[in-house]
Amino acid sequence: MEELNDTGPDMDEVTLRQLISDVRDGSVDPDDAVARLTRLPFADVGDALVDHHRAIRQGMPEAVYGPGKSADQCVTIVGELLEHGAGPVLLTRADVVQRAACLDAHGSADEANQSMLWRRPTPTREANVLVITAGTSDLPVAHEARLTLQAHGFDPSLISDVGVSGLHRLLARVDDITGADAVIVVAGMEGALASVIGGLTSGPVVAVPTSVGYGAGLEGVTALLSMHASCASGISVVGIDNGFGAACAIARSCR
């Protein structure tokens, strides 16, 4: 019988089906398969229960939220996912110390706005997803959304600094906007760009209010309420500065 290494890559749906097939045809011993499956739901690494089952349940990779965790905890959780997971590993909102510790322990990663991605997959999703910002100051949130989309197998495009205060800049990119299958709109100030984009495209639009803005912007609250009150129907709105959440919403919409 072929021995199955229970410290090898964990399973997505494809490898789980292969394991079942291997047990059925006798190439894998049932006891070895059971040893592998015992780690599948989650792994107890001390301070965290690392979810290895998410890809099978949701078809989406696990992500690690950095704030509130120590650098050692980030290293341990990311290491568990890299060692026993088959897919990409995403660490979000990590501070300088956390990022340095993870790079030292686990090697290079793609980075954007304090987020890190190991094992970025080759794009497998055909949907043409566009991330668009009202201003240059919104780019950090847009970069977080873009990196998260890449973790989910998309190859997103980015258009920046086309807010409504200079509408001619946006009109020059109308063909790109109408040609997109889905759009993430990242905007602070009064958040008006989401309504404009929502009136131009038929695809899903996810609006991300940012904390960019002057006094009456209320650190993103004004943009948030404006997007919720949009006259363009069917726009989804995530929390302030939540580029990660916007990307996940698109991943759920564009299967």
Side-chain angles (χ1 to χ4, degrees):
M1 293 287 184
E2 175 189 348
E3 289 190 3
L4 188 66
N5 181 3
D6 66 345
T7 63
D10 200 10
M11 286 174 241
D12 55 17
E13 185 175 347
V14 173
T15 52
L16 180 57
R17 289 180 181 276
Q18 183 61 52
L19 176 63
I20 294 171
S21 176
D22 290 343
V23 172
R24 182 175 55 199
D25 66 24
S27 60
V28 169
D29 185 86
D31 289 338
D32 291 329
V34 169
R36 176 75 176 275
L37 290 169
T38 56
R39 202 178 189 95
L40 180 59
F42 62 87
D44 187 342
V45 296
D47 294 324
L49 300 177
V50 180
D51 188 354
H52 285 299
H53 200 247
R54 189 177 302 275
I56 294 175
R57 293 196 318 271
Q58 295 182 317
M60 301 169 69
E62 176 67 297
V64 184
Y65 180 69
K69 294 181 176 67
S70 69
D72 287 343
Q73 287 169 334
C74 289
V75 167
T76 298
I77 296 169
V78 169
E80 170 67 24
L81 289 167
L82 287 171
E83 183 176 359
H84 298 287
V89 177
L90 185 65
L91 171 64
T92 66
R93 306 293 177 93
D95 62 29
V96 173
V97 176
Q98 291 168 332
R99 296 198 303 275
C102 286
L103 288 173
D104 184 59
H106 304 305
S108 61
D110 293 305
E111 298 188 60
N113 190 31
Q114 300 180 302
S115 295
M116 307 174 73
L117 174 62
W118 287 268
R119 293 199 302 231
R120 183 174 74 179
T122 300
T124 56
R125 303 211 193 188
E126 296 181 357
N128 174 19
V129 181
L130 176 64
V131 181
I132 186 168
T133 79
T136 305
S137 297
D138 300 310
L139 275 171
V141 176
H143 288 316
E144 179 183 83
R146 191 180 190 187
L147 188 69
T148 305
L149 287 167
Q150 290 171 335
H152 286 84
F154 292 97
D155 184 20
S157 300
L158 175 66
I159 297 175
S160 65
D161 199 24
V162 290
V164 298
S165 64
L167 200 57
H168 56 289
R169 301 173 300 175
L170 179 66
L171 296 178
R173 306 301 298 270
V174 165
D175 289 343
D176 295 314
I177 295 164
T178 57
D181 297 311
V183 183
I184 293 176
V185 182
V186 185
M189 304 291 185
E190 81 289 3
L193 183 62
S195 292
V196 176
I197 299 299
L200 290 174
T201 179
S202 62
V205 175
V206 179
V208 188
T210 72
S211 51
V212 171
Y214 298 107
L218 302 176
E219 297 183 341
V221 173
T222 297
L224 174 69
L225 296 177
S226 175
M227 290 171 173
H228 276 302
S230 174
C231 61
S233 58
I235 291 177
S236 299
V237 184
V238 298
I240 297 169
D241 292 335
N242 192 5
F244 169 80
C248 290
I250 292 297
R252 286 179 177 269
S253 301
C254 301
R255 293 293 183 181

